[in-house]
Amino acid sequence: MNRMMHLGLLAMGAGGHVAGWRMPDAEWGSENLSLLRRMAQAAERGRFDLFFLADAVNTGLDAHPGMMVRFEPLTLLSALAMCTGRIGLGATVSTTYSEPYNVARALASLDHLSGGRAAWNVVTGSSPDAAANFSRDSHPPHAERYAMAAEYLQVAKGLWDSWEDGAIVGDKASGTFADGTKMHVLNHEGRYFKVKGPLNITRPPQGYPVILQAGASDAGRDLAAATAEVVFTVQQEMDAALAFAQDLRDRCAAAGRPRDAIRILPGVCIVLGRDAAEAKARIAELAKLAHPDAALRVLSDRLGHDLSRFDLDAPVPELPPSGMMQGHAVTLAAVARRHRMTLRELRDYTAASSGHRVLFGTPEEVADDLEAWFRSGAADGFMIKTTHYPGPFEEVIDRVVPILVRRGLFRAEYEGSTLREHLGLPRPAHPAQASVPQPAG
Amino acid sequence: MNRMMHLGLLAMGAGGHVAGWRMPDAEWGSENLSLLRRMAQAAERGRFDLFFLADAVNTGLDAHPGMMVRFEPLTLLSALAMCTGRIGLGATVSTTYSEPYNVARALASLDHLSGGRAAWNVVTGSSPDAAANFSRDSHPPHAERYAMAAEYLQVAKGLWDSWEDGAIVGDKASGTFADGTKMHVLNHEGRYFKVKGPLNITRPPQGYPVILQAGASDAGRDLAAATAEVVFTVQQEMDAALAFAQDLRDRCAAAGRPRDAIRILPGVCIVLGRDAAEAKARIAELAKLAHPDAALRVLSDRLGHDLSRFDLDAPVPELPPSGMMQGHAVTLAAVARRHRMTLRELRDYTAASSGHRVLFGTPEEVADDLEAWFRSGAADGFMIKTTHYPGPFEEVIDRVVPILVRRGLFRAEYEGSTLREHLGLPRPAHPAQASVPQPAG
């Protein structure tokens, strides 16, 4: 069978563009259940693999309008599980500000509720401001956050293995409710966590929810190579994306996994027009609607530095790594260097999609570009957003996806029912069931 | 208007009776979404106020079959919010093993998703085994857990007040997304928690989700008197229930709240028959299906002591308070004393409903009993369970509830749309909006 593209919707209720919500045809609100439901249903109509929610555990008036107030991902996705039937449901949950028992449990619950459609975007927390919401004096340093995340993930997997498949028997005749030989106590004692288990929910339908990651730093890539099944990445240029993909596949092999174990999905903001010029005019219209300070704050967030003291018409300043959002910071700096952008130009570029690549053109041109990235090996598919919702995203579903299907690059119908099946990922066997069974006694 | 009864479904997927799942007509499984959905829809058909989920954050083979494995409450209720339209949705969440920011956020999210139907059963954790799942060396002592809970609740309310009503403007013309004067930074610094805020979700439709509590100890009653809006209580006898209600209302008044600020709902397991003898025969049939060890473990859990070393045919031993499940322990001890029960008799009594009162009889007799408790002031309504599901519960909806309606004791139709409206509870005003508005400048 041909290698097939995988597509996700990067669902931001207020739109990808910082001023997207102001467009006349925009509905907005990350607390707008009706809008989010229609977005998920449109993505499912387009046979997308995944409906994906970014997240953070802090906010303020300086936040992107789509991130200022919003639903909590696990509760929202549990609701959307009832309004959809096939599409995967991806939640971002931080490993720095939560308990692995609670999170493993809620993700298992979502996987059960949705019939095997849950994914977990494992993040370590991109904003140091979160610490103040969790009785911590400071945000742990980058390396420590990644070490915690690796152990946290190990605990979560161990908890998901608390009950082998078939452990709950419910045999009315004999009165046997559970088969005790299929229950496993984890007894994890690590550097950061001490978790006994077992978890109070059976093994998720997918074994484990699909593990998604977006780390771009060295530590982030290593964690992804060791554990991720989908990597969501910020990539502005195909050559850099290809180099990233090759590096990640090398690390994957070094970690003892197949080179193609990970589905690599760069983010892309698609802007359609009758031609590229019309599409670019749409962005120019949006740039006029964006408040300059709000736009600069988005870039400041991405680069991890307050940019308000810099000259907007000078070249983009060289800034040291901040330890935050490194995928954005590195690729935006590269774009700025390559195109010799001023800070003002980079600000407007970033406002368009909060740092992801913006792809302009006719549906054919957009499909050509996606196909080129896909065929080159720079991408296994894409996390798609649009400047606002729902209109421009429905246009992508109705005008771009059919071209990809026609070219044999994307599924015409769902073939499986779980997210793992959509992504072509195996269901992890239970450790006790993976080995050759020993005869009893 | 007449004072009206309030009814909740105490939803245990495997049934109230420890062997309920074994009945030929029982569907079982606390991970059985289809069953739980039909139970919620049956309760809504009966115009119940509330669908309520108990919870714990530990498990093992010694757990009640309904509590061994199960959905996580907040995700399950978010899903059920999509399958129901009016009934309240109550989640049990521990304040000992979670972060107030995460929990306040998820509860607000459920309240938004459900259009104002969320309730939170604030518990401090009834099992010391939970500590081992959360990197803790020990379960905090009773007094400390209650002090933590009080502060946690204060933090949660402060976080729910992060945004006044109308704070998110979304004015496309001016580009104003949020009204900064309506955002509030909490800056809480207490003994147990340091939480800056603001929360990243707007004020719940109900202001705060309805606060439910079940604490029966002195500290538990004081916390309930100060903060609860619904109290779920274990009561075996009407006189003791009346004394409890009067004590709670006295404490309520002492805390500066109206005496009727709290809806007091004793739990009751209803067993219907053509007469009381047939109903009792049903319980006897179930007693035969219960494994003696499993039944004794339920009682051991309720009393907080391992009872396996005691003589089953001797009188129930006098045991010191364990600090766990005091409502169950005290009322069961009283029942045992009053009826001079042996340990075996108390074991079988407790197995029937995991410690709640069992009410046998015809629909008319059951309605008479509920009415007597309600009219005496011992109860404002009831948390109802049945020995198994869905049949016996649907019988309660179809045969008992219509009698209560006919007698003018229970609503014939929902009048409001939020849980607060069902319960006749006011929506808490935002502190900044409750005071007389000051002219600006």
Side-chain angles (χ1 to χ4, degrees):
Chain A
M1 205 182 86
N2 283 341
R3 174 171 162 260
M4 295 285 266
M5 223 180 243
H6 299 286
L7 298 178
L9 163 59
L10 181 52
M12 299 184 71
H17 192 289
V18 71
W21 66 276
R22 295 187 66 186
M23 291 298 277
D25 65 330
E27 293 181 47
W28 59 268
S30 304
E31 294 175 341
N32 183 337
L33 177 62
S34 160
L35 172 61
L36 290 159
R37 177 166 44 202
R38 280 175 288 139
M39 286 163 64
Q41 289 170 341
E44 183 164 272
R45 180 159 55 79
R47 285 86 177 179
F48 269 37
D49 296 75
L50 187 65
F51 175 95
F52 172 72
L53 287 170
D55 193 47
V57 282
N58 63 291
T59 189
L61 291 169
D62 56 351
H64 187 290
M67 303 293 261
M68 201 178 294
V69 291
R70 69 192 108 145
F71 286 116
E72 182 280 329
L74 289 162
T75 44
L76 174 62
L77 294 176
S78 298
L80 292 179
M82 299 297 102
C83 314
T84 54
R86 302 295 276 275
I87 194 166
L89 302 164
T92 297
V93 186
S94 158
T95 51
T96 307
Y97 299 111
S98 61
E99 288 281 353
Y101 188 95
N102 292 336
V103 170
R105 182 184 182 203
L107 284 162
S109 196
L110 175 62
D111 206 46
H112 278 284
L113 287 167
S114 63
R117 297 188 282 137
W120 173 20
N121 179 30
V122 180
V123 300
T124 68
S126 61
S127 168
D129 295 344
N133 290 329
F134 293 89
S135 308
R136 310 281 180 88
D137 290 323
S138 66
H139 193 50
H142 191 269
E144 192 176 0
R145 295 204 313 274
Y146 273 88
M148 285 175 70
E151 188 183 328
Y152 192 114
L153 199 47
Q154 188 189 342
V155 172
K157 289 181 179 177
L159 288 172
W160 289 324
D161 287 332
S162 295
W163 304 86
E164 295 176 36
D165 298 327
I168 303 301
V169 178
D171 181 25
K172 289 186 181 186
S174 69
T176 303
F177 189 76
D179 175 353
T181 67
K182 292 188 172 171
M183 188 195 83
H184 299 269
V185 178
L186 180 59
N187 281 324
H188 173 91
E189 295 200 22
R191 187 165 154 211
Y192 300 103
F193 303 104
K194 213 168 87 184
V195 180
K196 187 172 178 205
L199 194 63
N200 57 359
I201 184 165
T202 54
R203 203 159 188 262
Q206 296 187 102
Y208 310 145
V210 171
I211 303 297
L212 202 150
Q213 271 161 54
S217 65
D218 221 51
R221 292 183 192 202
D222 279 340
L223 181 64
T227 62
E229 300 174 288
V230 173
V231 163
F232 168 38
T233 171
V234 184
Q235 298 295 340
Q236 304 290 344
E237 316 268 355
M238 192 162 81
D239 51 358
L242 190 56
F244 171 81
Q246 280 169 346
D247 175 67
L248 195 61
R249 298 195 199 290
D250 289 346
R251 291 179 197 240
C252 226
R257 301 173 72 199
R259 288 185 64 82
D260 65 354
I262 299 179
R263 309 288 168 260
I264 302 174
L265 309 184
V268 60
C269 181
I270 295 178
V271 184
L272 295 175
R274 273 169 301 183
D275 52 33
E278 189 188 67
K280 284 189 181 174
R282 288 190 176 183
I283 286 288
E285 185 188 349
L286 272 161
K288 275 185 261 162
L289 291 175
H291 193 288
D293 294 350
L296 196 63
R297 274 199 303 265
V298 171
L299 182 58
S300 295
D301 265 6
R302 295 303 179 248
L303 299 187
H305 292 276
D306 177 9
L307 301 169
S308 59
R309 63 194 174 87
F310 292 97
D311 179 359
L312 281 174
D313 294 307
V316 174
E318 293 286 335
L319 296 163
S322 69
M324 302 291 127
M325 292 277 199
Q326 303 208 359
H328 283 282
V330 169
T331 60
L332 287 171
V335 163
R337 267 195 307 274
R338 182 179 292 208
H339 299 282
R340 299 169 188 273
M341 285 181 178
T342 63
L343 188 56
R344 185 188 304 275
E345 286 166 335
L346 187 63
R347 178 194 74 186
D348 292 345
Y349 181 89
T350 307
S353 73
S354 313
H356 283 284
R357 181 167 74 108
V358 186
L359 175 50
F360 307 96
T362 64
E364 286 287 342
E365 286 166 346
V366 165
D368 289 348
D369 178 285
L370 298 179
E371 178 170 0
W373 277 57
F374 176 68
R375 290 204 187 277
S376 76
D380 295 310
F382 304 90
M383 285 282 206
I384 291 174
K385 59 166 147 181
T386 53
T387 55
H388 56 286
Y389 296 98
F393 179 67
E394 289 172 340
E395 255 193 288
V396 169
I397 295 297
D398 293 332
R399 302 180 59 203
V400 177
V401 172
I403 300 172
L404 300 174
V405 172
R406 211 151 53 227
R407 293 183 188 177
L409 297 167
F410 190 63
R411 68 174 70 86
E413 295 299 337
Y414 286 112
E415 280 156 27
S417 63
T418 69
L419 177 57
R420 287 192 174 275
E421 288 166 347
H422 303 337
L423 292 166
L425 295 169
R427 180 180 194 267
H430 190 286
Q433 293 178 316
S435 55
V436 179
Q438 299 297 313
Chain B
M1 206 181 87
N2 284 339
R3 174 169 162 262
M4 295 285 266
M5 225 179 241
H6 299 285
L7 298 178
L9 163 60
L10 181 52
M12 298 185 72
H17 192 288
V18 70
W21 66 275
R22 294 186 67 186
M23 292 297 279
D25 65 331
E27 294 182 44
W28 58 267
S30 305
E31 294 175 341
N32 183 337
L33 177 61
S34 160
L35 172 61
L36 289 161
R37 178 166 44 203
R38 280 174 290 136
M39 286 164 63
Q41 289 170 342
E44 184 164 271
R45 180 159 56 78
R47 285 85 176 180
F48 269 38
D49 295 75
L50 187 64
F51 176 95
F52 172 71
L53 288 170
D55 194 47
V57 284
N58 63 290
T59 190
L61 291 170
D62 56 352
H64 186 290
M67 302 295 261
M68 201 179 295
V69 292
R70 71 192 107 146
F71 287 115
E72 182 281 329
L74 289 163
T75 44
L76 173 62
L77 294 177
S78 298
L80 293 179
M82 300 296 101
C83 314
T84 54
R86 301 296 275 278
I87 194 168
L89 302 164
T92 297
V93 185
S94 158
T95 51
T96 306
Y97 298 111
S98 61
E99 288 281 353
Y101 188 95
N102 292 336
V103 171
R105 184 184 180 204
L107 283 163
S109 196
L110 175 61
D111 205 47
H112 278 284
L113 287 166
S114 63
R117 296 188 283 138
W120 173 21
N121 180 30
V122 180
V123 299
T124 68
S126 61
S127 170
D129 295 344
N133 291 330
F134 293 89
S135 307
R136 310 279 179 89
D137 290 324
S138 66
H139 193 50
H142 191 268
E144 190 175 2
R145 295 204 314 274
Y146 274 87
M148 285 176 68
E151 186 183 330
Y152 192 114
L153 199 48
Q154 186 189 344
V155 172
K157 289 181 178 178
L159 288 172
W160 289 324
D161 287 332
S162 294
W163 305 85
E164 294 174 39
D165 298 328
I168 303 302
V169 178
D171 180 26
K172 290 187 181 186
S174 69
T176 303
F177 189 75
D179 174 354
T181 67
K182 293 188 172 170
M183 188 195 83
H184 299 269
V185 179
L186 179 60
N187 281 323
H188 173 90
E189 295 200 20
R191 184 162 155 215
Y192 299 103
F193 303 105
K194 213 169 86 183
V195 180
K196 187 173 177 203
L199 194 63
N200 57 359
I201 184 164
T202 54
R203 202 156 188 263
Q206 296 188 103
Y208 311 145
V210 171
I211 303 299
L212 202 150
Q213 271 161 52
S217 64
D218 220 51
R221 292 183 192 203
D222 279 340
L223 182 63
T227 62
E229 299 174 290
V230 173
V231 163
F232 168 38
T233 171
V234 184
Q235 298 295 340
Q236 304 290 344
E237 316 270 354
M238 193 164 80
D239 52 357
L242 190 57
F244 172 81
Q246 279 168 346
D247 175 68
L248 195 61
R249 297 196 200 289
D250 289 346
R251 291 178 197 241
C252 226
R257 300 174 71 200
R259 287 185 65 82
D260 65 351
I262 299 180
R263 308 288 167 264
I264 301 175
L265 309 184
V268 60
C269 181
I270 295 178
V271 184
L272 294 176
R274 273 169 300 182
D275 51 35
E278 189 188 68
K280 284 189 182 172
R282 287 191 178 182
I283 286 288
E285 186 188 349
L286 274 159
K288 275 185 260 161
L289 292 174
H291 193 287
D293 294 350
L296 196 63
R297 273 199 304 266
V298 171
L299 183 59
S300 295
D301 265 6
R302 294 303 179 249
L303 299 188
H305 292 278
D306 178 8
L307 302 169
S308 58
R309 65 195 173 84
F310 291 97
D311 179 359
L312 281 173
D313 295 307
V316 174
E318 293 286 335
L319 296 163
S322 70
M324 301 291 127
M325 294 275 198
Q326 304 207 0
H328 284 283
V330 170
T331 60
L332 286 171
V335 163
R337 266 195 308 273
R338 181 179 294 210
H339 300 280
R340 298 169 186 270
M341 285 182 177
T342 64
L343 189 56
R344 186 189 303 277
E345 287 165 335
L346 186 63
R347 178 196 73 186
D348 292 344
Y349 182 89
T350 308
S353 73
S354 312
H356 284 285
R357 182 167 73 109
V358 186
L359 175 50
F360 307 96
T362 64
E364 286 288 341
E365 286 166 345
V366 165
D368 289 347
D369 179 285
L370 298 179
E371 179 170 359
W373 279 55
F374 176 68
R375 290 206 188 274
S376 77
D380 296 311
F382 303 90
M383 284 285 205
I384 291 173
K385 58 166 146 181
T386 53
T387 55
H388 56 287
Y389 296 100
F393 180 66
E394 289 171 341
E395 254 193 287
V396 169
I397 294 297
D398 294 332
R399 301 180 60 202
V400 178
V401 172
I403 300 172
L404 300 174
V405 172
R406 211 153 52 227
R407 295 184 188 177
L409 296 167
F410 191 63
R411 67 174 71 84
E413 294 300 335
Y414 287 112
E415 280 156 27
S417 62
T418 70
L419 177 57
R420 287 191 174 277
E421 288 166 348
H422 304 337
L423 292 167
L425 295 168
R427 179 179 194 268
H430 190 286
Q433 294 178 317
S435 54
V436 179
Q438 300 296 313

